[in-house]
Amino acid sequence: MRFSRSKRWRSRRLRLRTQVLLLQSAVVALALTAAFGAFAYVNDRHVEREYQLRALGVARTVAANPVVRAQAARYSVSGDGHRRARAEKEIDALAEGPVQALAQAARARTGSLFVVVTDDRGVRLAHPQKSQLGRMVSTDPSRALAGHEVLDHDHAHLGEEIVAKVPVYAPHSRRVVGEANAGVAASHVHDQVVRVLIVGLACLAVALLVGVMASAALARRWRRLTLGLEPEELVGLVQEQEAVLHGIGDGVLALDARERVTVVNDEARRLLAVDGPVGAPVSEWGLNPRVLAVARAARPDGGGGEPVVTTAGERVLVVSARRVRRADRDLGTLVTVKDRTDVESLTRQLDAVQAMGMALRAQRHEFSNRLHVVAGLVHGGHLTQAARYLEELLGTGSTSVSLPGLDAVDDAYLRTFLRAKAAQARENGVELTLGEGTWIDSPVTEPVDVTTVLGNLLDNAVHAAGEGSRTSRRMEVELMTHGTTLVITVADSGDGVPLAHAEDIFEEGVSSKEDTSTPGGRGVGLALVRQIARSRGGEVELVTPGGPGNDEDPGGAVFVARLPGVLEEAR
């Protein structure tokens, strides 16, 4: 249902990454357009100013020429009036004069539109057009004739002009006797601006294209990072993830492709007894080595993820890992943790019950045979023999398994458990005996922990003795107390613990047994035994590793466990 709603939403609106692409492209285009407008304005002012300064340089050069200064002084109002009258009439003389020649040479040399020289009234002494000689200039000459340099943009009879005006001084004097004008056509300046703007437009187009491509690349990266999901879908996934992660009873630990922790729920922290930061490498979380090995063993094809039994503190856990992929992309590893502590405890208790049940069935069978004997003697009238037979039965006790020294154990639970284990050992061809130092005078207060430790050690001893190379297959258990501490010693006649495993026999996953049919693998029992003992402040140790031998050298492995606080205090 959520997927169909998502498709309808997508059909109504553009995808967010498309919206972001369009928005970024619009922002880039707007920014570049504004920058280009500012560039065009500044460039126009700059080019115009540059041409004004060029014209100013030409005008200054002409105005500083001695010939121009002398001729302008000659035709000034302060000069000889007769000469001035002649200047107004003799246009041809001006056209052929030195000022006109100098002005035209300067114009040709600098590429200017015009170079004009006037007297102190504004009458032209030099001009590109001969017909304009002897006439007043078409623009106001007053500022230049007042001794100021002028940069201007004028409209004259030659059209729009960028012009510079410079005063002409009399020789060896600061008296203004005329002006020198130089300028270029405004259309020429405009053409130059357009050429620069065309280059700017090309750069603008390239910048816009680069910006759009960068925005498209960002949109594609966004799509890869979000796996093609829209924000509404991501919000929904986050909500569902939170609900699932904190609503299930199993621990969940997610790693990315670089083995960094990305997701962990509270149950996983509790079961694994870790509290590392999300985002840190999993190697820094202090995980159990076996858990870490399981996480790293998961393969992209889904293999390597078989459940493995491990321990963490006092808990027995089942850990499995799977690699997760989406759209051919490796998203990392998902580790699930299940608490099997209660199941393991019940399993141990069930093993004890089954062992006791087997012993009771053996007792029932043997008692049935003995009752048949008694019944036959009674029916046959052999009462004396029946009485003697009953006396013999009462002398051997009420169990089918004789375990000398069991009277030294003053705890009904331990007595029953030891009888059951003795019967189980006998069925496997192994003899269980109690050590001479066995003495338990206080009831057990923690029967589950005691039977878990004792049961694991006895099961290992039965297996070692049964599979050993010695003909005599037996094991010995000795139980002693020290205050509320129970000390258990278990020895067997097996081939001992291989030296390769003697140092790490208590590590998870290490086992001397070749049987691989046990779900989750072997190598958990002794690790669990040691953790239970250490959680109570005790210890389990391999005192003697033993080794292969013969009946004259019956020594196998010897384990000693110390369990404080599992017995009632003596009264």
Side-chain angles (χ1 to χ4, degrees):
M1 181 62 70
R2 183 175 64 82
F3 178 73
S4 61
R5 287 200 302 269
S6 173
K7 292 194 70 175
R8 289 198 299 270
W9 179 84
R10 289 182 178 182
S11 64
R12 290 195 300 267
R13 298 182 57 187
L14 291 174
R15 294 174 180 267
L16 180 61
R17 60 178 178 273
T18 304
Q19 297 179 39
V20 172
L21 174 61
L22 295 176
L23 177 60
Q24 289 180 329
S25 300
V27 170
V28 171
L30 181 61
L32 291 176
T33 301
F36 181 76
F39 167 76
Y41 175 78
V42 172
N43 182 71
D44 182 67
R45 301 280 78 78
H46 174 74
V47 172
E48 182 174 322
R49 180 69 175 175
E50 181 181 352
Y51 276 93
Q52 286 178 338
L53 293 177
R54 289 183 184 180
L56 178 62
V58 174
R60 284 176 174 174
T61 301
V62 173
N65 189 284
V67 175
V68 173
R69 296 176 69 178
Q71 291 296 318
R74 175 187 172 195
Y75 290 103
S76 68
V77 294
S78 58
D80 190 293
H82 176 68
R83 290 181 179 176
R84 185 170 62 252
R86 288 177 58 199
E88 293 176 357
K89 296 177 181 178
E90 297 178 357
I91 302 302
D92 292 338
L94 290 175
E96 300 297 332
V99 177
Q100 177 72 357
L102 289 171
Q104 294 309 309
R107 183 179 71 85
R109 185 173 60 252
T110 59
S112 301
L113 176 64
F114 62 88
V115 174
V116 175
V117 178
T118 73
D119 61 12
D120 55 357
R121 294 181 303 166
V123 176
R124 298 185 183 100
L125 303 179
H127 192 276
Q129 298 176 350
K130 181 178 178 181
S131 60
Q132 298 297 323
L133 295 175
R135 296 184 179 183
M136 289 290 294
V137 292
S138 56
T139 59
D140 183 15
S142 58
R143 294 182 60 195
L145 294 177
H148 304 289
E149 292 183 344
V150 178
L151 300 177
D152 209 348
H153 187 141
D154 291 337
H155 180 77
H157 73 281
L158 293 178
E160 293 289 333
E161 303 170 347
I162 303 300
V163 62
K165 303 176 181 180
V166 176
V168 177
Y169 297 99
H172 310 295
S173 172
R174 298 296 298 172
R175 179 170 60 86
V176 178
V177 294
E179 67 168 346
N181 299 346
V184 295
S187 60
H188 183 72
V189 177
H190 175 73
D191 293 341
Q192 180 66 22
V193 171
V194 169
R195 285 193 293 271
V196 174
L197 291 184
I198 289 175
V199 176
L201 279 174
C203 296
L204 174 66
V206 172
L208 181 60
L209 179 61
V210 171
V212 172
M213 292 175 62
S215 299
L218 180 61
R220 286 195 299 271
R221 176 169 174 77
W222 186 333
R223 183 177 182 276
R224 288 196 302 269
L225 292 177
T226 61
L227 302 178
L229 299 177
E230 295 299 309
E232 287 75 7
E233 293 175 297
L234 292 175
V235 171
L237 286 177
V238 171
Q239 293 173 344
E240 292 171 5
Q241 173 185 293
E242 290 297 315
V244 171
L245 287 179
H246 299 288
I248 62 176
D250 297 338
V252 176
L253 183 72
L255 314 178
D256 63 12
R258 291 186 288 176
E259 293 190 353
R260 295 178 304 183
V261 177
T262 56
V263 176
V264 59
N265 65 353
D266 297 336
E267 189 68 8
R269 293 181 185 271
R270 184 181 69 86
L271 294 178
L272 296 173
V274 293
D275 192 21
V278 174
V282 69
S283 58
E284 299 179 3
W285 270 59
L287 291 177
N288 184 310
R290 202 170 193 189
V291 176
L292 193 59
V294 171
R296 289 174 172 171
R299 299 195 301 269
D301 59 2
E306 296 300 325
V308 173
V309 179
T310 183
T311 58
E314 300 181 13
R315 299 188 176 278
V316 179
L317 309 175
V318 177
V319 182
S320 61
R322 294 287 181 183
R323 293 296 285 269
V324 181
R325 299 184 67 84
R326 178 185 172 92
D328 295 329
R329 178 182 175 187
D330 184 9
L331 301 182
T333 305
L334 181 65
V335 180
T336 57
V337 184
K338 299 179 183 293
D339 189 357
R340 226 183 73 171
T341 305
D342 295 338
V343 175
E344 188 69 19
S345 176
L346 292 174
T347 301
R348 294 296 176 184
Q349 296 183 45
L350 179 59
D351 289 343
V353 172
Q354 287 177 338
M356 287 186 285
M358 293 171 60
L360 290 175
R361 285 195 299 272
Q363 290 175 3
R364 178 180 176 277
H365 180 72
E366 191 164 345
F367 277 130
S368 176
N369 292 334
R370 291 177 179 180
L371 287 176
H372 282 303
V373 174
V374 172
L377 291 174
V378 170
H379 285 299
H382 306 291
L383 298 180
T384 302
Q385 289 87 342
R388 187 181 302 114
Y389 186 71
L390 289 174
E391 289 176 358
E392 290 178 0
L393 291 179
L394 292 174
T396 59
S398 60
T399 64
S400 62
V401 179
S402 177
L403 190 59
L406 191 60
D407 293 338
V409 179
D410 188 19
D411 180 81
Y413 198 90
L414 271 180
R415 288 167 64 92
T416 304
F417 187 75
L418 288 171
R419 286 196 190 100
K421 285 297 180 182
Q424 183 180 6
R426 188 178 66 178
E427 290 184 359
N428 287 276
V430 179
E431 179 187 0
L432 171 64
T433 61
L434 289 178
E436 295 180 356
T438 297
W439 180 260
I440 302 294
D441 58 354
S442 300
V444 174
T445 59
E446 300 293 339
V448 175
D449 286 353
V450 171
T451 55
T452 298
V453 174
L454 180 58
N456 268 289
L457 294 178
L458 291 177
D459 289 344
N460 289 341
V462 169
H463 183 273
E467 299 294 330
S469 59
R470 295 179 176 86
T471 304
S472 176
R473 298 178 178 180
R474 61 182 182 273
M475 62 180 184
E476 180 181 273
V477 59
E478 189 172 72
L479 305 175
M480 294 184 294
T481 62
H482 181 72
T484 61
T485 299
L486 175 63
V487 180
I488 302 173
T489 303
V490 177
D492 61 71
S493 62
D495 292 337
V497 177
L499 294 178
H501 298 311
E503 297 294 331
D504 55 1
I505 190 66
F506 292 99
E507 297 294 330
E508 289 188 53
V510 177
S511 176
S512 60
K513 302 174 184 178
E514 298 181 356
D515 178 22
T516 59
S517 61
T518 303
R522 289 190 176 272
V524 178
L526 287 178
L528 177 63
V529 164
R530 172 169 277 185
Q531 287 195 8
I532 292 175
R534 287 182 174 179
S535 69
R536 309 196 65 84
E539 185 58 275
V540 178
E541 298 175 310
L542 174 62
V543 177
T544 303
N550 50 49
D551 291 338
E552 295 179 359
D553 179 22
V558 178
F559 288 86
V560 176
R562 185 170 56 86
L563 303 176
V566 297
L567 299 172
E568 286 188 3
E569 295 184 3
R571 298 175 182 174

